[in-house]
Amino acid sequence: MGSGNAGPQNGQSLQHGVGLQTSTGRGGTARRPLDRKTILHEAVRFIDENGRDKLTMRRLGSELGVEAMALYRYVPGREQLLDGVVEVVMKELNDSSGAADTFDSWQEYLQQIAHAVRGMATAHPKIFPLVASRPPAAPWLRPPLRSLQWVESFLEGLDYYGFGKDASVVIYRAFSTFLLGHLLLESAMSLPGTPEMGAEDDIEVYETNDLTAYPRTLELKPQLAREEFDEEFEDALEDLIDRIALSRT
Amino acid sequence: MGSGNAGPQNGQSLQHGVGLQTSTGRGGTARRPLDRKTILHEAVRFIDENGRDKLTMRRLGSELGVEAMALYRYVPGREQLLDGVVEVVMKELNDSSGAADTFDSWQEYLQQIAHAVRGMATAHPKIFPLVASRPPAAPWLRPPLRSLQWVESFLEGLDYYGFGKDASVVIYRAFSTFLLGHLLLESAMSLPGTPEMGAEDDIEVYETNDLTAYPRTLELKPQLAREEFDEEFEDALEDLIDRIALSRT
DNA sequence: ACCTGAACACCGTTCAAGT
DNA sequence: ACCTGAACACCGTTCAAGT
């Protein structure tokens, strides 16, 4: 093991050949126009792949074939860039939701809404926490349902199915917390898990957290470990819809 | 105060502690022992006050009266420091929960549990998102209920009140998503809100997001804006407990 | 034993300057 | 009009050196 090696091994696996852009070759130079939309979409792609913390003005620039400073012409700063990322996925969500009047019942409508939001969360598990926790533009917009357009369309749908105004507000709130809880949990659980141990001595051990001090947890570990997010989501969604139906009187 | 001697004492076991102790440092006491616990508690205090993004190894060090590098003797790095912060507040939560057998019914027991977790979230609104979204140590621990000790004690309580193993797992999961949804929402909404506009000309305006394109949202804005988190939490908690009662058969 | 100085490889952001 | 070089004030982290 460590001979007097002076070379510092940094624990990062960065620097694998990325750049295929940067002019060179390709007779046409093919410089993308580089507008705000291009930047935001690249940012979404990058976070999907590498996670929020790896997104850096400099790295995003190089991914687009420009220096970081060029981005400031289109985006005021890193924070607003992240806001823009949230905007992009919310727009995807808006576009993926069907019109209210294409369903046979309000139950089906709400089901479809919920599934559309879940689709966004599972398509972008590393972005969903941003949707969930960035401060909303208006204080009465609740994460993760935080776009005016989305809320307007939702209220429209509820109106179409005959829900009154008070009921609509209650439903919007119940939906928000329901979706936030389930989807954030699902996003969080789908992510890597703490990347410990850089040393290459031990490999095993790990999995066993020494649960001997926690007998009940140990006993239930197999059941706790079997996650059925699909089923859990569907069951809880049905529950929620049933409760709404009951309160409709 | 003394100072009969003239001339600067050179060498000498420097107890001086004079000097740069930045602002918030307690004036009097000389050098704190600086162990892991001290560091973690200071980190909690700092995030409570300034938020996660402002917490920096260098700033935390200066808050404790040392250079940043001194922290690395007690904490492996910034990420693990944040993990430690989560540990600290989870320990507070464990200590604040009463023993299961001090309640008259399982309903009361669950109520108390839920309120204890909510207490943690509202005491540390800037830390709760960390509790909610850091990858859990074991993949079958769900945020925000992510400490082995907590889960063990919870399972113990459910056992005490006669819940079977399967029911306990179901309840643990339902509780997780319930608490995650409600408390994360509450934390997120209690935070500053996007700090736009640095100009000091107008104050008003702002509030009106030009909702003319969103008539239904505009109409419901007053009701949407009136947040009653207490009531909402209590109502939803009762609902959850009622559902558990029903499934108990 | 515990802490610091100095150094390295990064950051976000600004601004004058290039084309 | 759009981009870059250079610079500034920060970061996390390592390591040899101080006491």
Side-chain angles (χ1 to χ4, degrees), chain A residues 49-114:
Chain A
E49 191 173 323
N50 306 103
R52 170 212 144 122
D53 290 350
K54 298 272 182 266
L55 181 69
T56 249
M57 298 302 276
R58 294 172 126 109
R59 271 203 274 254
L60 182 59
S62 103
E63 212 75 10
L64 289 163
V66 298
E67 300 299 316
M69 313 85 196
L71 302 177
Y72 286 85
R73 192 159 292 271
Y74 306 95
V75 170
R78 185 171 186 266
E79 286 305 298
Q80 294 87 343
L81 176 71
L82 291 176
D83 286 340
V85 164
V86 171
E87 271 171 39
V88 167
V89 301
M90 281 306 294
K91 170 162 296 203
E92 278 178 19
L93 174 62
N94 286 330
D95 296 346
S96 79
S97 300
D101 55 8
T102 60
F103 301 95
D104 290 340
S105 65
W106 63 266
Q107 283 94 337
E108 274 183 44
Y109 173 64
L110 289 183
Q111 289 262 5
Q112 185 268 349
I113 293 270

Side-chain angles (χ1 to χ4, degrees), chain B residues 175-193:
Chain B
F175 241 65
S176 298
T177 49
F178 166 79
L179 291 171
L180 188 63
H182 279 268
L183 300 182
L184 194 65
L185 189 80
E186 211 173 323
S187 303
M189 301 291 282
S190 84
L191 295 188

Side-chain angles (χ1 to χ4, degrees), chain A residues 18-32 61-67:
Chain A
V18 148
L20 50 141
Q21 51 279 76
T22 64
S23 56
T24 80
R26 296 297 4 160
T29 82
R31 154 79 342 98
R32 300 227 226 25
S62 103
E63 212 75 10
L64 289 163
V66 298
E67 300 299 316

Side-chain angles (χ1 to χ4, degrees), chain B:
Chain B
M1 316 311 191
S3 82
N5 69 33
Q9 73 291 21
N10 52 356
Q12 242 307 352
S13 67
L14 63 165
Q15 200 85 323
H16 64 318
V18 83
L20 47 154
Q21 206 67 350
T22 62
S23 57
T24 64
R26 293 205 173 350
T29 67
R31 157 74 355 87
R32 298 226 225 28
L34 192 56
D35 55 358
R36 189 180 141 91
K37 193 174 153 195
T38 306
I39 292 172
L40 259 29
H41 276 84
E42 181 59 24
V44 167
R45 204 201 53 69
F46 191 91
I47 298 184
D48 276 342
E49 190 172 325
N50 306 104
R52 169 212 147 120
D53 290 349
K54 298 272 182 268
L55 181 69
T56 249
M57 297 302 276
R58 294 172 126 109
R59 269 201 276 252
L60 183 58
S62 104
E63 213 74 11
L64 289 162
V66 298
E67 299 300 315
M69 314 84 195
L71 303 176
Y72 285 85
R73 192 159 292 271
Y74 306 95
V75 170
R78 184 171 186 267
E79 286 306 300
Q80 294 86 344
L81 176 71
L82 291 176
D83 287 339
V85 164
V86 171
E87 272 170 38
V88 167
V89 301
M90 282 306 294
K91 169 161 297 201
E92 277 177 20
L93 175 62
N94 286 329
D95 296 345
S96 80
S97 301
D101 54 8
T102 59
F103 301 94
D104 290 338
S105 65
W106 62 266
Q107 284 93 337
E108 274 182 43
Y109 172 63
L110 290 184
Q111 289 261 5
Q112 185 268 349
I113 292 270
H115 287 133
V117 179
R118 186 165 185 242
M120 180 204 79
T122 55
H124 305 287
K126 303 204 176 132
I127 294 180
F128 190 77
L130 291 181
V131 180
S133 62
R134 295 238 117 204
W140 33 272
L141 282 182
R142 295 179 165 209
L145 310 176
R146 49 186 315 146
S147 103
L148 275 171
Q149 194 190 326
W150 193 95
V151 172
E152 181 69 13
S153 142
F154 187 65
L155 294 176
E156 207 174 305
L158 293 178
D159 186 36
Y160 175 84
Y161 287 109
F163 286 93
K165 302 184 194 321
D166 289 355
S168 295
V169 171
V170 171
I171 293 173
Y172 170 66
R173 288 181 173 157
F175 241 65
S176 298
T177 49
F178 166 79
L179 291 171
L180 188 63
H182 279 268
L183 300 182
L184 194 65
L185 189 80
E186 211 173 323
S187 303
M189 301 291 282
S190 84
L191 295 188
T194 165
E196 288 302 304
M197 32 203 63
E200 55 273 270
D201 33 308
D202 312 51
I203 309 100
E204 71 295 344
V205 184
Y206 186 40
E207 194 52 49
T208 79
N209 263 67
D210 190 16
L211 295 181
T212 56
Y214 308 98
R216 285 182 176 78
T217 309
L218 175 60
E219 184 184 21
L220 290 183
K221 188 183 154 188
Q223 296 168 71
L224 287 168
R226 174 160 55 246
E227 303 279 9
E228 303 279 7
F229 287 125
D230 279 17
E231 200 182 317
E232 209 176 327
F233 184 81
E234 301 302 337
D235 289 353
L237 177 56
E238 267 194 47
D239 248 55
L240 176 60
I241 287 177
D242 286 351
R243 262 182 298 153
I244 292 172
L246 281 179
S247 75
R248 214 160 134 79
T249 58

